[in-house]
Amino acid sequence: MSSYGGVIISDQWLQSQFTQVELRSLISKFNSVKNENGKVMAGDLPPLMVKLKAFRDMYSEEDIRGTLSGLGSNFSNEIDFESFLKAYLNLQGQTTAKLGGSKNSSSFLKATTTTLLHTISESERASYVAHINSYLGDDPFLKQYLPLDPATNDLFNLAKDGVLLCKLINVAVPGTIDERAINTKRVLNPWERNENHTLCLNSAKAIGCTVVNIGTQDLIEGRPHLVLGLISQIIKIQLLADLNLKKTPQLVELVEDSNDVEELLSLPPEKVLLKWMNFHLQKAGYKKPVSNFSSDVKDGEAYAYLLNVLAPEHCNPATLDAKPNERAKLVLDHAERMNCKRYLSPKDILEGSSNLNLAFVAQIFHERNGLTTDSKKISFAEMMTDDVQTSREERCFRLWINSLGIATYVNNVFEDVRNGWILLEVLDKVSPGSVNWKQASKPPIKMPFRKVENCNQVVKIGKQLKFSLVNVAGNDIVQGNKKLILAFLWQLMRFNILQLLRNLRSHSQGKEMTDADILNWANNKVKSTGRTSRMESFKDKSLSNGIFLLELLSAVEPRVVNWNLVTKGESAEEKKLNATYIVSVARKLGCSIFLLPEDIMEVNQKMLLTLTASIMFWSLQQAVDDTERSLSPVDASPATSINGEDESSSSLGGEISNLSIDDTASDTTVTSQFENEGSTASTPSTPLGDGIRVEEKGCIAVQ
């Protein structure tokens, strides 16, 4: 298997302006307009660029031609790829200026990385390094490298092997990664390093991180802005983990009556944190509401009031009368006496660093939330929690939807889908062109009937896709019927899985894909290795010990399973060990999945179908990629469309779509299309052979 090291640009500055995902997409687009002599002329660029989603609605072909002329382009001359990239950046810069800057989502999890300006906040780096030193300083493997020095590039250098990021994910959400699956050696070979980053990115998605525009090669290179962006998300997930009624039922004190509890459930964690902060500020007599973690806290007054009401025994009467810079120091001294780690400096308060201020307030909440211990209110909050199975399915669909890269970030499936807009976005992603956007209403929606109209269109499209929706109406979704919402989302996810698998095999077989096809493929794959185990169905109770699934993973890539770590799966404890290992090995292989070990142990039919389909998708994809490399060694790398063309191809979790050829491979060359620009998440797809495949697109992004 030949190795692939990414798209390399001779101009290092130019290389730094793009991720590997973007470069691979752009080079594919560039190569697509080569003439019969293998050349691209400057005159070919205007019709190419006007089709790119970044410029489609902003410029006409003549506008782009005029811009290129202003740069001194002679349209009869040949142009190379680097010149194309420079023209792209110039036009993108004009677009940004024309729009007056990008409008970022309020949710930190939705923040994506710009390709124009990659500034590194030294304060953030220092805070994240301090966090890592604190939480991972005693790790058996990492302690030989810690503590890190924030004044150097130690953080980025250590992140290049992937171990640090995997361990940090486990700190944020314990048990996400089975550490037996992490390659931990002092010196890793290229594919072991690539496996770690594949495991890291797929696991990051599984805890709710947005990894649009981040690929394995970016992490292997230790690109500072991408590494810090990912670490920032992981740390924030850790710090905000308790900001929900399930973990902290005392939060019910923030609402006046039971009618407001649903609103509290639907809020993203940072909004809950703001609500908590304002709750205490109001009690303290602070008159100005805090609506952000930047400008509203820059003078330090809100912090002084908050800390005084939470820990009056440590308060300094001089704090409120001090000047802003002195007040900031006194606030941090007060916080230090509360055992709060310093995520920020006085300068960060004065400058309104939103990330660090959010982390600081979250740490205060964690140390002392000041909420009631009223047993009646807590009991009420506990009654609001869902049963285990419903909660798991909600988690699965929430993470899956967010991995698709749609414009809206989902915090709570049952609340967020009720206006129909998110479901329309998902439908448009998995079945492009199915939504009539002229008949859709975008949030905020004040008129209730507009929500019903959106949901009626959702049901209508579902019926067109042959979903089972007997006696289901749009109003059922508006009313938040959990059973119907889960049933609809499962059919939507399953549709996407089968669609992707059908596309992979369409040229060679041209038939619809069914659950039975996935079952037969898995059994035949295991049988081909000489093993005798098989599964009768996705409800087969023998699957609970995990042995068949491990044999399947080993069948598609023998090196990925360490059989010395596998138990017989006879006791509950042994089954748990195997199930945990299966999830991490599948992600390490390249499958972007969201199921929990309990889903394997309890033989959850839906989740086992999606896991098996993910493994199948990855395996078939390798045959496609091997064929491409053998037929076109120069341009065989999968193209990642950062501009959303060819929207007839669907995506699942931002994964590959519109591919062909089955596991045995054929002589058909195909091009993978990935959507981006806030509409797809990019993940890596590891080759697990004798070379590295960067920017891997894993198996299907389903739970």
Side-chain angles (χ1 to χ4, degrees):
M1 182 180 292
S2 62
S3 64
Y4 177 72
V7 179
I8 306 300
I9 306 299
S10 60
D11 184 333
Q12 291 300 306
W13 176 87
L14 193 59
Q15 174 102 30
S16 71
Q17 302 307 298
F18 299 90
T19 66
Q20 281 293 319
V21 176
E22 294 169 323
L23 285 172
R24 294 175 66 189
S25 173
L26 288 172
I27 199 169
S28 171
K29 298 300 177 187
F30 181 78
N31 291 336
S32 70
V33 294
K34 284 183 177 179
N35 59 27
E36 57 187 13
N37 297 320
K39 297 180 179 180
V40 175
M41 314 305 291
D44 297 325
L45 296 189
L48 169 63
M49 286 187 165
V50 79
K51 295 178 182 177
L52 303 183
K53 191 173 182 180
F55 311 131
R56 185 183 301 159
D57 300 324
M58 299 294 298
Y59 301 101
S60 66
E61 195 172 311
E62 287 305 313
D63 292 334
I64 295 176
R65 189 175 295 275
T67 298
L68 295 179
S69 297
L71 296 175
S73 296
N74 185 331
F75 293 109
S76 62
N77 290 344
E78 180 183 358
I79 188 170
D80 61 15
F81 181 56
E82 291 192 14
S83 299
F84 166 65
L85 291 179
K86 292 175 183 177
Y88 181 92
L89 279 180
N90 186 282
L91 198 59
Q92 193 177 52
Q94 292 188 27
T95 302
T96 302
K98 187 174 181 180
L99 293 173
S102 60
K103 296 181 180 179
N104 296 323
S105 166
S106 61
S107 172
F108 72 82
L109 291 175
K110 191 57 188 172
T112 54
T113 306
T114 175
T115 58
L116 287 176
L117 184 62
H118 299 318
T119 57
I120 300 299
S121 167
E122 295 303 324
S123 294
E124 288 192 26
R125 171 161 66 174
S127 294
Y128 301 155
V129 165
H131 182 96
I132 290 169
N133 288 339
S134 173
Y135 283 92
L136 290 172
D138 295 329
D139 181 85
F141 177 78
L142 291 176
K143 64 182 180 182
Q144 60 186 314
Y145 305 105
L146 301 179
L148 299 173
D149 182 353
T152 68
N153 286 326
D154 286 353
L155 172 62
F156 309 118
N157 292 331
L158 185 56
K160 289 181 179 180
D161 279 347
V163 179
L164 172 67
L165 295 173
C166 287
K167 299 268 190 178
L168 193 60
I169 287 172
N170 269 356
V171 169
V173 183
T176 299
I177 297 175
D178 186 334
E179 297 201 1
R180 295 175 297 172
I182 304 174
N183 297 318
T184 52
K185 296 191 301 187
R186 289 191 66 88
V187 179
L188 298 178
N189 60 41
W191 56 83
E192 288 172 334
R193 193 166 56 238
N194 199 59
E195 285 178 344
N196 280 349
H197 288 307
T198 301
L199 174 60
C200 164
L201 288 175
N202 285 325
S203 299
K205 286 199 298 182
I207 66 171
C209 293
T210 298
V211 295
V212 175
N213 283 354
I214 304 178
T216 55
Q217 184 66 19
D218 298 309
L219 298 181
I220 288 170
E221 294 171 1
R223 300 184 64 171
H225 66 287
L226 294 176
V227 172
L228 275 188
L230 182 57
I231 289 175
S232 172
Q233 292 189 72
I234 295 170
I235 290 177
K236 286 173 182 175
I237 285 173
Q238 175 187 345
L239 294 175
L240 300 177
D242 293 338
L243 281 151
N244 58 74
L245 283 176
K246 185 176 182 180
K247 293 286 187 67
T248 312
Q250 297 96 323
L251 285 168
V252 75
E253 188 181 358
L254 302 183
V255 298
E256 295 182 0
D257 56 55
S258 58
N259 294 329
D260 297 328
V261 173
E262 286 187 357
E263 178 188 354
L264 186 63
L265 286 170
S266 66
L267 290 177
E270 62 267 37
K271 294 295 184 184
V272 176
L273 191 61
L274 280 172
K275 193 174 184 69
W276 168 81
M277 187 175 182
N278 282 308
F279 172 79
H280 284 301
L281 289 177
Q282 187 176 10
K283 287 200 304 184
Y286 189 68
K287 303 299 182 183
K288 297 180 290 185
V290 175
S291 60
N292 58 63
F293 293 106
S294 182
S295 59
D296 286 358
V297 296
K298 288 172 71 171
D299 59 11
E301 281 192 22
Y303 284 147
Y305 276 92
L306 177 66
L307 295 179
N308 284 349
V309 75
L310 291 176
E313 70 275 18
H314 299 308
C315 74
N316 186 332
T319 303
L320 287 174
D321 297 327
K323 293 181 179 180
N325 57 345
E326 183 62 27
R327 184 185 301 129
K329 294 178 183 177
L330 292 173
V331 162
L332 293 181
D333 288 340
H334 192 163
E336 190 74 14
R337 289 192 290 273
M338 293 172 58
N339 296 319
C340 289
K341 297 182 177 64
R342 291 198 180 196
Y343 279 98
L344 73 175
S345 66
K347 180 183 177 182
D348 298 320
I349 294 178
L350 296 171
E351 294 181 351
S353 174
S354 58
N355 279 347
L356 297 182
N357 277 294
L358 184 149
F360 177 60
V361 178
Q363 188 68 13
I364 294 172
F365 174 88
H366 180 74
E367 291 294 332
R368 189 176 300 193
N369 63 44
L371 296 174
T372 184
T373 55
D374 186 335
S375 59
K376 291 183 179 179
K377 286 191 173 183
I378 293 176
S379 297
F380 171 75
E382 289 172 342
M383 286 190 296
M384 297 296 298
T385 58
D386 296 311
D387 64 80
V388 174
Q389 186 59 43
T390 299
S391 184
R392 272 195 221 153
E393 291 196 17
E394 186 277 335
R395 170 191 172 276
C396 163
F397 296 131
R398 169 166 39 87
L399 294 171
W400 171 65
I401 291 171
N402 288 332
S403 74
L404 293 173
I406 64 173
T408 309
Y409 191 86
V410 179
N411 293 290
N412 181 292
V413 166
F414 300 127
E415 294 301 318
D416 293 353
V417 304
R418 288 174 60 179
N419 61 25
W421 182 261
I422 287 175
L423 292 176
L424 290 173
E425 287 186 288
V426 175
L427 283 165
D428 193 54
K429 176 67 64 174
V430 304
S431 182
S434 61
V435 177
N436 184 345
W437 291 110
K438 292 181 179 179
Q439 295 180 4
S441 299
K442 185 176 183 179
I445 303 174
K446 296 181 180 180
M447 304 300 292
F449 74 91
R450 295 294 185 191
K451 299 179 183 179
V452 176
E453 286 179 345
N454 281 354
C455 292
N456 282 340
Q457 185 176 179
V458 167
V459 173
K460 179 182 178 182
I461 297 171
K463 290 179 178 178
Q464 291 171 351
L465 298 177
K466 297 181 170 39
F467 292 179
S468 176
L469 296 170
V470 180
N471 296 325
V472 177
N475 196 50
D476 294 316
I477 298 174
V478 176
Q479 295 300 319
N481 186 313
K482 293 183 179 181
K483 183 178 180 180
L484 292 179
I485 290 172
L486 291 177
F488 183 87
L489 287 172
W490 162 243
Q491 293 184 81
L492 190 54
M493 177 187 283
R494 180 179 173 277
F495 169 82
N496 204 184
I497 296 169
L498 298 180
Q499 180 189 52
L500 291 177
L501 289 171
R502 182 191 67 225
N503 288 340
L504 275 171
R505 303 164 67 94
S506 60
H507 291 296
S508 58
Q509 296 190 11
K511 67 169 187 173
E512 293 294 321
M513 186 66 61
T514 66
D515 297 3
D517 291 323
I518 300 171
L519 181 73
N520 291 335
W521 174 86
N523 282 326
N524 290 335
K525 197 71 181 176
V526 171
K527 184 179 179 180
S528 69
T529 64
R531 300 180 184 272
T532 58
S533 61
R534 58 181 287 111
M535 61 174 169
E536 299 302 323
S537 71
F538 294 109
K539 297 186 289 185
D540 191 334
K541 295 301 181 183
S542 68
L543 294 173
S544 66
N545 63 20
I547 301 299
F548 177 84
L549 294 170
L550 286 164
E551 289 178 347
L552 177 60
L553 286 163
S554 180
V556 300
E557 174 46 62
R559 193 174 57 81
V560 79
V561 176
N562 181 349
W563 287 101
N564 293 326
L565 302 176
V566 178
T567 72
K568 294 181 180 180
E570 294 176 347
S571 66
E573 183 179 354
E574 288 184 341
K575 290 180 179 180
K576 180 68 178 287
L577 286 170
N578 283 354
T580 304
Y581 189 53
I582 288 167
V583 173
S584 291
V585 166
R587 288 178 180 147
K588 178 179 178 179
L589 181 70
C591 301
S592 184
I593 53 176
F594 304 117
L595 82 167
L596 296 171
E598 289 78 6
D599 293 314
I600 297 174
M601 297 168 63
E602 297 170 10
V603 192
N604 183 314
Q605 179 183 2
K606 296 176 183 177
M607 297 307 110
L608 289 177
L609 168 62
T610 59
L611 172 62
T612 308
S614 294
I615 299 170
M616 179 181 182
F617 186 85
W618 184 87
S619 180
L620 299 183
Q621 155 99 44
Q622 303 316 298
V624 171
D625 291 337
D626 289 345
T627 302
E628 286 183 339
R629 281 192 294 273
S630 65
L631 292 177
S632 182
V634 176
D635 301 327
S637 60
T640 308
S641 171
I642 69 170
N643 305 294
E645 290 78 20
D646 301 317
E647 295 183 4
S648 59
S649 65
S650 67
S651 70
L652 178 56
E655 308 301 340
I656 305 178
S657 59
N658 204 25
L659 301 175
S660 62
I661 309 179
D662 72 1
D663 211 10
T664 57
S666 77
D667 57 357
T668 305
T669 301
V670 291
T671 301
S672 316
Q673 298 291 341
F674 301 82
E675 292 186 287
N676 184 11
E677 288 227 334
S679 42
T680 68
S682 79
T683 33
S685 120
T686 191
L688 296 173
D690 53 357
I692 302 177
R693 284 232 13 233
V694 247
E695 303 307 331
E696 164 195 346
K697 279 307 180 193
C699 293
I700 334 185
V702 291
Q703 179 194 12

